[in-house]
């Protein structure tokens, strides 16, 4: 999707700015957690909201042999700041996941994660 002036972006694992992505990798090192099927209801200068799925590897008995499980989530983006790599762009720096129907082992119903910059 084309970015509008002043509109914050999400920065992906390859340092590309994304606006309203349908998929987004959360675990860049190993790909064991990602967001999929995102449907954005809001994308504002100060926050964004989507519904979709967090697909997470259970890593049992270890990650290479683990199974991926899909959890329905509400995704919230907040705290836009100038992007260090491209100071003319602002990017969201905080991501919150609210699990609406079960959650991965070791996760609460609500998870706050910093987004890289």
């Amino acid at each position: 999707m084309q970015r509008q002036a002043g509109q914050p972006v999400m920065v992906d694992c390859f340092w590309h700015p994304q606006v309203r992505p349908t998929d987004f990798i959360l675990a860049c090192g190993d790909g064991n957690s990602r967001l999929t099927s995102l449907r954005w209801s809001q994308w504002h200068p100060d926050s964004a909201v989507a519904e979709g799925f967090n697909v997470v590897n259970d890593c049992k008995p270890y990650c290479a042999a683990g199974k991926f499980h899909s959890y329905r989530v509400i995704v919230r983006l907040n705290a836009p700041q100038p992007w260090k790599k491209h100071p003319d762009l602002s990017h969201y720096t905080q991501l919150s996941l609210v699990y609406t129907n079960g959650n991965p082992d070791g996760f609460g119903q609500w998870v706050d994660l910093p987004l890289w910059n």
Side-chain angles (χ1 to χ4, degrees):
M1 178 175 275
Q2 198 71 340
R3 194 179 86 78
Q4 297 174 2
Q7 191 175 43
V9 299
M10 290 180 79
V11 178
D12 70 15
C13 294
F14 302 102
W15 299 99
H16 298 137
Q18 301 288 320
V19 175
R20 296 179 183 258
T22 55
D23 298 297
F24 190 81
I25 296 173
L26 294 175
C28 291
D30 57 18
N32 283 325
S33 180
R34 66 184 183 273
L35 300 173
T36 64
S37 303
L38 295 174
R39 295 177 55 197
W40 296 93
S41 59
Q42 297 177 28
W43 193 280
H44 299 301
D46 59 345
S47 65
V49 177
E51 291 186 28
F53 295 90
N54 183 202
V55 180
V56 180
N57 188 344
D58 63 17
C59 290
K60 293 178 183 177
Y62 52 92
C63 291
K67 293 181 180 162
F68 282 89
H69 303 275
S70 186
Y71 303 91
R72 185 171 292 281
V73 291
I74 297 170
V75 178
R76 297 173 195 264
L77 304 176
N78 293 298
Q81 298 291 324
W83 183 14
K84 291 177 185 173
K85 185 173 178 175
H86 294 285
D88 57 319
L89 291 177
S90 83
H91 72 106
Y92 295 111
T93 62
Q94 185 70 36
L95 178 139
S96 298
L97 300 175
V98 179
Y99 293 95
T100 60
N101 190 17
N103 45 287
D105 289 345
F107 284 60
Q109 184 181 5
W110 185 295
V111 176
D112 289 320
L113 303 169
L115 289 173
W116 44 90
N117 58 24

